[in-house]
Amino acid sequence: MDKVELHKLQGFLRQAFGNQSLKVAPAKRNPDDAEVHLGERVIASIAVDDEDGDRSFALEMKIPVERPVLQDYLRRLFENDKLRIVPRPKKNDSVELNSGDDYLGVISQDDPKGRSFTLQVAILDFDLEDF
């Protein structure tokens, strides 16, 4: 990822999660990937997918809390009360994450007892056009 893409991803994520403190930087282990920082913490990773000729990005964030406190945890982490968990029809192992009415991604249960989760957000190249 080049500096322009990193900057665009940072702008997109700041708007999506409603937090201007988010920073996107090259990943230390693989410069083709990126890390999302909130303060001193790395909270997520971003991988590039350009297999089909279309460039897109996959954000993955581990969430170390149980289902009953998931929404509250994310609201506190991002300091954004507009974040909300929305059930998925016919699915009980995952939920959607929205910011207001805007869909952000899917949060999947990592283990059968629901003690940890992973947020996955697909970011398409046209999502970054305004940044």
Side-chain angles (χ1 to χ4, degrees):
M1 279 186 245
D2 62 23
K3 286 184 180 184
V4 172
E5 285 179 322
L6 294 170
H7 180 75
K8 287 182 174 196
L9 284 163
Q10 179 173 287
F12 173 83
L13 293 174
R14 284 178 173 181
Q15 181 179 22
F17 288 98
N19 187 307
Q20 295 300 306
S21 298
L22 291 171
K23 292 190 177 11
V24 177
K28 290 183 172 98
R29 293 188 185 136
N30 183 355
D32 292 335
D33 294 338
E35 298 173 337
V36 180
H37 297 256
L38 187 58
E40 299 295 317
R41 280 177 42 196
V42 175
I43 62 165
S45 62
I46 301 175
V48 177
D49 178 6
D50 56 4
E51 286 181 17
D52 301 332
D54 294 325
R55 196 158 172 91
S56 63
F57 305 89
L59 178 139
E60 182 174 290
M61 178 180 151
K62 297 293 184 186
I63 305 171
V65 298
E66 295 183 14
R67 172 66 181 97
V69 296
L70 193 54
Q71 179 172 281
D72 189 49
Y73 173 83
L74 291 168
R75 285 179 170 182
R76 286 184 190 190
L77 178 68
F78 292 108
E79 299 175 359
N80 181 355
D81 287 339
K82 292 182 181 178
L83 295 177
R84 54 190 191 94
I85 302 300
V86 179
R88 297 178 74 197
K90 300 181 183 178
K91 300 276 185 185
N92 58 7
D93 62 345
S94 61
V95 293
E96 292 181 3
L97 177 64
N98 288 5
S99 180
D101 292 330
D102 295 330
Y103 170 84
L104 295 180
V106 172
I107 300 174
S108 301
Q109 190 171 295
D110 290 337
D111 63 85
K113 295 186 179 181
R115 292 190 182 125
S116 67
F117 293 83
T118 300
L119 168 64
Q120 296 179 316
V121 178
I123 305 166
L124 306 177
D125 58 351
F126 65 82
D127 292 331
L128 303 178
E129 289 176 355
D130 294 335
F131 300 96

